[in-house]
Amino acid sequence: MSILASIVLMLLFVGITAYVGARGIIIAVAGLLGVLVGQLAVGDGATWVHYLLYVVLIVIAVVTTFEPVRRAVSDKIFDIFKKVSPAISETEQAAIDSGTVWWDGQLFSGKPDYQVLLNYPDPKLTEEEQAFIDGPVEELCSMIDEWEVTHHTKNLPPEVWQKIKDIGIWGMIIKKQYGGLEFSQYAHTQVLRKLNSRSATAGVTVMVPNSLGPGELLQHYGTQEQKDYYLPRLAGGEEIPCFALTSPHAGSDAGGIPDYGVVCKGDYVDPITGEEHKDALGIRISWEKRWITLAPVATVLGLAFKMYDPDGLLGDQFGGKKDIGITLALVPTKHEGVNIGRRHYPIGSPFMNGPTCGTDVFIPIDWIIGGVERAGKGWPMLMECLSIGRCISLPASGVTASKASAYATALYSRVRDQFGLAIGRFDGVGEALARIAANAYISEAAQDLALVALDMGENPSVISAILKYHLTEQGRQSVNDAMDIHGGRTVVLGPRNPLASAYQAIPISITVEGANILTRTLMIFGQGAIRCHPYVLKEMTAAAENDAAAFDKALSGHLHFVLVNVSRSFWLSLTNGVFASSPRSGAVAPYYKKVTRLSANFMTLVDMTMGSLGGSLKFKEKISGRLGDVVSNLYLATAALKRFERDGSPKEDIPLLQYSVERALSEAETALDEVIRNLPNRFVAFIARLLILPFGKRLHGPSDDLGSKVSTLMMEDGPTARRIAQGLYVGQEDEKENYTKLLVHAREAVIKSEPVEKKLRKIEREDKFETFSPRNRLQEALDKGWITQQEFNDVSESRKLKRYVIMVDDFDMELNQYDENLLDRFVF
C-alpha cells in the first residue's frame, strides 16, 4: 500500500507544482516529498521501489539544477538531434523566416494570456477612410451591373475602369508621399468587402494591385529611383500592374518555377525613354506564366524567375555562385519580346486574367526590384508580402461571401413562406441559416483581429494561412447553404439572381494564393509548429549553427514546458476547464476557460506527436492538417470573443456568439480526437488520450435551440442582423433592379401586412369568400368592408414585392433579352 500511496502522492505533488509552472528543482523536490509522505503515512517502511523513485527524482533535481551535469546529458541528445532532424529546403526556410508571431504564439503557449488579446486596439476607420467608402466606393458600386459584365461584355465597362483610376483606389497601400491613399489595412479591407458585395469582377480588379504586386514589393524593397518613378504612376492609375509568379509547371510549388534568366550583356531600347543602350549588363529571360490577374491589360509586369550568372559578370558580390536564386524584376509590357493580351476566362467572374510569356528577352540589371543587391532574394521577398496579402484579399472575399449570404438569405427566409409560415421558421432552414450567420460573424471577427496585427506593424504568417483557408471555406459553405435555402430562386441565371456569380466563382478563392488543401495540411501547422512553438525553432537554429549551449538552454526549457502542459492538460481535461481563470464573467466566461483547456491539450499533443514521429511528421499531412484545425479553431473562437468585447458585449448577440464559439471549440476537440485516433504509435496514443480526452469528447457543438435563436435573430430587423450587414453594398434607393434593396423593402412590407394576411386566412377558413383568385379575394374583402383601404394597399404592396423577390428571370428563346417588366406584371 505504501508503494501505491507514494506513487499517487508523487504524481499529485508533481502535478500541482507543474500546473503552476514551478521550476524544475521545485517540481522534483515536490515529487520526493510525495514519495516520503506516502511511505510515512502507511508506515510499511521503504521498499526498493521507494528507493528507485528517490534516486530518479534526485537525479532529475541534480540534472535540472547543475549546468555541467545537464550539459553532459543534453550534448548527447544534441548529437542525436542533429542526425534525425529533417532537412529544410531553401523555400521552406524562407517561409519559416517570413512574418512574425502574434496572438497565435499565445495559442501555442498552452496558457493564453487573454489580457494580451483584450488589450489589442479595436480596428477603426478615420474620417477620410469612411468618407472614401461612403463616397467614391459607393459610387463605383452603383456603376456596375454584374450581370452585364459576367454574361455580356465579359469585362468592366470603360467608365468603370476610368472611375477606378480616377479615385486612386489602386493606391490604397501606397504612401501619400507618392500620391497614394495610405489607408490602414482595415480600411483597405472594408473597401474590398463593399466592392466584392457588388461585383467580384471589380473586387478582384482592385484587390490585386493592392496585394501581392509591384506596389507592395516596391514599397518594401524597391530602389529609390524605382519608387519615385512607379509608385506615383501606380497610385494614379497611369500604370496597370500585374505580377507573374505561377507557371503551368509550378502552382502551389511556386519555388519550382522553370522560368530562368541568365546574366549577360546585350542591347535594348528603353520603352520608357526610347533611348538605345549598347552592351549593357543585364539578364536574358525566358518565361511562360499562366493565371496572371490583370496580365491582359497590364502596362507593367512583375516577373519572378530563377537567375543564373555562369560567367561571373556580377563579380564577387555573390561569392562566385552561378545559381543566384529566385529574382524579381519589373518589366514594362511594351518592352520588346514581352507577350501579353490573351486572356483566360475565370469561372463565374470575367476579371482580366491571362498568360504572359517571353523568350530570350533582354532587360537591364537595374530592372531587378531593389536593384542587383536584391538578386536571388525573391522568394523571401514574396513570402513576406504574401503573408500580408493573404490576410486581406481572399479572406475579404470569403467574409463578403458569408456576410452577403447571411443578410440576403435572412431577408429571403422572412419574406418567402410556405404552408402559411416564413420558411426561416422551419427547423431545417433555420439550421442552415444559423450556420451562415455564424460563418459571417466569426469570419469577420477573425479577419478584423488579424488586420489589427497588420496595422500594428506585425506580419502574422500563420494567422494569414488560417484566414486564407478557413474564411474562404466558410464563404463556400455559406454560399452553398444560401443556395439550398433559396432553392429554385437561385438555380436559374438572371440579373436578379443574388448568388449565382458567387456560387460559380467561389472555387477561385479556394484555389489561388496557395490551394486550400495545401494551406491546411502543410502551411498552418507546418509553419506554426516551428514559428509559434516557444522552443522548437530555437532548437532547430541551435542545431543548424552547431551551438550546443543554445540547444541545452532550449531543450531544458522545452522539457519544463512539456511537463507543465501535461499537468495542465490532464487537470483541465478532468474538470473541462471549470476551474481555469477567465478575464470576463457572465456568458463568455466558460468559453475563455474551454479555450485554455484546449490550448493545453493542443500543446501536449503537439509535443507528443512531434516527439513520437520526429521528422516523419513532415510527411503525415493528415495529422498536421488536423493539428492545424485545432489552432485555427482556437484562433476563430478567441477572435469571436474579442469581437463581442469590441461591439460592446451586446446582449442580443449572445446567441450568435455562443453558436459561433461552441462550433469552433467542438471542431477543435474533434480534431484532437482524430489526431489521437490516427497516431501510428498506439502506446503514445493511449497516453495522449489519457492526458487529453480521458472522458472522450465533451464539447458537442451548439444545440438545436441555440440554432433556432440565431436564425430568429437574423430574420428580425434588429441590431444583430444589421451588424452582420454592415459594410455591404445594399444599393441606392432608386436602383429598381437591386435585389438586396428590394428584399429589405419586401421584408418591411411582409411584416407590416402579416396581421391582415392572418385575417384573410381566417375569412378563407370560414368559407366566406365567393371569389377564387387571391387578387379577387383581396378586392372582395375590401368591397365587403372586412379590411380597410390602407390594409388593402399594404397587402397589395407586400404581395407585389414578395412575388418580385421570389420570381426567377425569363428570357427570349435566344437567351438575350430578359423581362425587364417583371415587377409590373402581377397575375395574382
Side-chain angles (χ1 to χ4, degrees), residues 530 533-544 547 550-551 553-554:
I530 298 173
H533 192 292
Y535 298 102
V536 169
L537 183 57
K538 295 176 182 177
E539 291 165 341
M540 294 176 66
T541 302
D547 189 340
F551 182 81
K553 185 177 180 181

Side-chain angles (χ1 to χ4, degrees), residues 338-358:
V338 176
N339 291 302
I340 63 167
R342 295 188 65 79
R343 60 184 292 193
H344 304 312
Y345 192 7
I347 183 172
S349 181
F351 58 87
M352 284 295 161
N353 181 278
T356 174
C357 63

Side-chain angles (χ1 to χ4, degrees), residues 640-651:
L641 291 167
K642 170 65 174 173
R643 173 185 178 155
F644 184 71
E645 180 97 1
R646 182 191 83 191
D647 289 343
S649 305
K651 290 183 178 179

Side-chain angles (χ1 to χ4, degrees), residues 14-49:
V14 167
I16 291 172
T17 50
Y19 183 91
V20 298
R23 293 171 52 203
I25 180 65
I26 295 175
I27 295 172
V29 170
L32 286 167
L33 184 61
V35 175
L36 181 62
V37 170
Q39 174 191 333
L40 297 176
V42 177
D44 289 345
T47 67
W48 68 269
V49 176

Side-chain angles (χ1 to χ4, degrees), residues 531-663:
R531 289 283 298 165
C532 300
H533 192 292
Y535 298 102
V536 169
L537 183 57
K538 295 176 182 177
E539 291 165 341
M540 294 176 66
T541 302
E545 297 175 355
N546 200 29
D547 189 340
F551 182 81
D552 170 72
K553 185 177 180 181
L555 179 63
S556 60
H558 194 164
L559 293 174
H560 181 262
F561 178 76
V562 169
L563 185 57
V564 169
N565 275 321
V566 164
S567 175
R568 288 176 54 78
S569 176
F570 183 64
W571 174 249
L572 291 168
S573 294
L574 286 178
T575 61
N576 202 19
V578 169
F579 299 108
S581 62
S582 169
R584 297 290 184 265
S585 58
V588 299
Y591 303 122
Y592 283 107
K593 295 180 178 184
K594 287 180 173 63
V595 171
T596 298
R597 177 214 135 187
L598 290 171
S599 177
N601 294 157
F602 171 60
M603 288 313 299
T604 298
L605 187 57
V606 165
D607 281 314
M608 294 183 74
T609 302
M610 294 176 74
S612 63
L613 291 175
S616 66
L617 177 57
K618 180 178 178 179
F619 307 102
K620 299 288 186 182
E621 295 172 23
K622 295 175 185 176
I623 288 177
S624 64
R626 293 179 184 118
L627 289 169
D629 291 342
V630 180
V631 70
S632 296
N633 279 290
L634 293 182
Y635 175 77
L636 294 174
T638 51
L641 291 167
K642 170 65 174 173
R643 173 185 178 155
F644 184 71
E645 180 97 1
R646 182 191 83 191
D647 289 343
S649 305
K651 290 183 178 179
E652 61 271 15
D653 284 6
I654 288 177
L656 182 54
L657 171 76
Q658 291 174 323
Y659 188 102
S660 303
V661 175
E662 287 179 17
R663 185 182 64 174

Side-chain angles (χ1 to χ4, degrees), residues 323-627:
D323 184 351
I324 306 300
I326 294 177
T327 301
L328 311 181
L330 213 53
V331 183
T333 57
K334 59 185 179 181
H335 184 56
E336 184 180 358
V338 176
N339 291 302
I340 63 167
R342 295 188 65 79
R343 60 184 292 193
H344 304 312
Y345 192 7
I347 183 172
S349 181
F351 58 87
M352 284 295 161
N353 181 278
T356 174
C357 63
T359 303
D360 291 335
V361 178
F362 182 83
I363 68 169
I365 201 76
D366 57 7
W367 285 6
I368 294 175
I369 296 177
V372 70
E373 294 80 10
R374 285 282 173 184
K377 298 179 181 178
W379 189 245
M381 292 161 64
L382 288 172
M383 287 296 96
E384 286 286 338
C385 292
L386 183 62
S387 62
I388 295 174
R390 283 163 63 94
C391 270
I392 299 172
S393 301
L394 295 173
S397 300
V399 171
T400 302
S402 291
K403 284 167 63 74
S405 295
Y407 189 51
T409 307
L411 291 168
Y412 185 79
S413 298
R414 187 65 180 84
V415 172
R416 181 73 158 121
D417 60 52
Q418 291 286 274
F419 310 105
L421 191 67
I423 62 171
R425 307 290 185 197
F426 291 91
D427 274 359
V429 173
E431 181 182 30
L433 179 56
R435 273 198 306 269
I436 303 171
N439 286 340
Y441 185 84
I442 207 166
S443 63
E444 185 173 29
Q447 188 178 30
D448 284 355
L449 181 58
L451 295 171
V452 170
L454 295 183
D455 285 328
M456 290 173 63
E458 300 286 344
N459 185 358
S461 56
V462 174
I463 290 177
S464 73
I466 291 172
L467 296 187
K468 163 59 173 74
Y469 173 72
H470 286 277
L471 272 55
T472 55
E473 289 292 343
Q474 287 177 348
R476 171 157 62 178
Q477 183 188 55
S478 297
V479 173
N480 285 343
D481 279 336
M483 289 287 291
D484 287 350
I485 292 174
H486 280 79
R489 175 64 184 83
T490 50
V491 297
V492 173
L493 288 173
R496 299 178 186 87
N497 189 321
L499 296 173
S501 291
Y503 183 76
Q504 292 174 320
I506 202 75
I508 297 172
S509 62
I510 299 295
T511 302
V512 300
E513 289 191 15
N516 275 10
I517 291 176
L518 171 94
T519 301
R520 174 179 175 266
T521 57
L522 292 180
M523 295 187 66
I524 295 175
F525 181 72
Q527 280 186 290
I530 298 173
R531 289 283 298 165
C532 300
H533 192 292
Y535 298 102
V536 169
L537 183 57
K538 295 176 182 177
E539 291 165 341
M540 294 176 66
T541 302
E545 297 175 355
N546 200 29
D547 189 340
F551 182 81
D552 170 72
K553 185 177 180 181
L555 179 63
S556 60
H558 194 164
L559 293 174
H560 181 262
F561 178 76
V562 169
L563 185 57
V564 169
N565 275 321
V566 164
S567 175
R568 288 176 54 78
S569 176
F570 183 64
W571 174 249
L572 291 168
S573 294
L574 286 178
T575 61
N576 202 19
V578 169
F579 299 108
S581 62
S582 169
R584 297 290 184 265
S585 58
V588 299
Y591 303 122
Y592 283 107
K593 295 180 178 184
K594 287 180 173 63
V595 171
T596 298
R597 177 214 135 187
L598 290 171
S599 177
N601 294 157
F602 171 60
M603 288 313 299
T604 298
L605 187 57
V606 165
D607 281 314
M608 294 183 74
T609 302
M610 294 176 74
S612 63
L613 291 175
S616 66
L617 177 57
K618 180 178 178 179
F619 307 102
K620 299 288 186 182
E621 295 172 23
K622 295 175 185 176
I623 288 177
S624 64
R626 293 179 184 118
L627 289 169

